[in-house]
Amino acid sequence: MKLWGGRFTKETNQLVHNFNESLSFDQKFYRQDIRGSIAHVKMLAKQGILSEKDRDDIIRGLEGILEDLESGKLTISTDSGYEDIHSFVEGTLTERIGEAGKRLHTGRSRNDQVALDMKLYIRDEIDELDGLVEGLLLELLEVMEKNTETYMPGFTHLQKAQPITLAHHVGAYFEMFSRDRSRLSDIRRRMNYCPLGSGALAGTTYPLDREYTASLLDFAGPTLNSMDSVADRDYLIELLAALSTISMHLSRFCEEIIIWNTNEYRFVELDDSYSTGSSIMPQKKNPDIAELIRGKCGRVYGALVALLTTMKGLPLAYNKDMQEDKELTFDAVDTVKGCLSLFTGMIASMSFRKDVMEASARHGFTNATDAADYLVNKGVPFRDAHGIVGQLVLLCIEKGIALDDLPLEEYRRISPVFDQDVYEAISMKTCVDKRQTLGAPGPEAMKKVIAVYRERLMAQRED
Ligand code: ARG
């Protein structure tokens, strides 16, 4: 059934219908479409544009449709001939309640209707995404709390650099995902204005109360330009950019987990339930989930670039090109939601090999800077200390040992300033403990930061 048959004398070509229809994907927001229609008729009746009886009949009809869709009694089929979810709901309503159903669309266009539905849907999705990021942050915080004294190498250029702790490393991701969360809440706040009542593009001649509709639908207020209201997809572009950034952060972390999980590193062991095997190589236990999350980044970026490109040449106001926003956004949102849950589960079930991490830090000369600082504390100029420790490192590489294992005589042969206390000074524990500036890995500094994170998470929960 079409909402616009009057002007036409021929049936739509079947291929045209198939190409044009959006019911196959916009059925995803049938709840939001019905919710928007209920608010619309409440407003129409309040303004005397619709009788109270028609309002009640329409609301009852819409609630019945919603109930039947939820229970499965009514199904949405693309064979029904409806082109989109708006036609489907209005058509089904009229089939069910007759004349009154035909009054539902008074003072409304599908252009402002679809703008509303998408905003309502996305607002709910942002709330879900926010919950998933929060869940991940809580999980990371737990890993951090347990590992303020788990020493590991910190890297630059993927070369061992200075000792840090696992809490500190994970804390870097805690920061990234916290910013992701605040990006989501910025977007929600900026997009939270109701486009309904903007009509096709130029508002309507009916005396609508747009403030009232906006408040029924929990918006901060109505939008202020009817052309922009039906043509704006900025908030979707912002969302896709935020989702791309979340994907990028997940992908970086996954890359590290994949490296940490190699036979060469063995810093972590993925749980069996989050790994897969090989059909030919019996010894394999592969990090497929981390790889897939890393891989899915591509389609999320793709959605962002696709929508930016779709929008770039569009004259005001509504154009059918904008129907393309749906599948792109739905796919990106669903993909990132999946990645966030899987990633959180993978982290929660993964085990960290603390002994391997610490040994790796020791054998990578991550305490070389501290050995130089030791000499500086005994009066040697830093540039000389740097050279002395460089020679020591070379000697250790030849012998295949760590600085910690080099006998004192060998130290003394290169510089007599060294004493027995050097071992204590370059132990992983000392190296990390001494880094107590705010934001550094020293356990005391770290514990303070963790307490701030916890408090922040709790405060956000109360908001
Ligand atoms: N399916 C359309 C979309 O997603 C709904 C709006 C249709 N409006 C129109 N004038 N054809 O954009």
Side-chain angles (χ1 to χ4, degrees), residues 256-270:
E256 298 207 288
I257 289 168
I258 292 164
I259 294 173
W260 292 352
N261 186 56
T262 55
N263 295 335
E264 289 71 21
Y265 274 75
R266 293 176 51 249
F267 282 11
V268 295
E269 163 114 38
L270 293 177

Side-chain angles (χ1 to χ4, degrees), residues 151-154 161-165 361 366-367 370 427-428 431-432 435 441:
Y151 309 113
M152 66 180 283
Q162 289 179 340
I164 54 162
T165 64
T366 59
N367 47 5
D370 298 82
S427 77
M428 288 300 121
C431 295
V432 171
R435 291 180 156 77

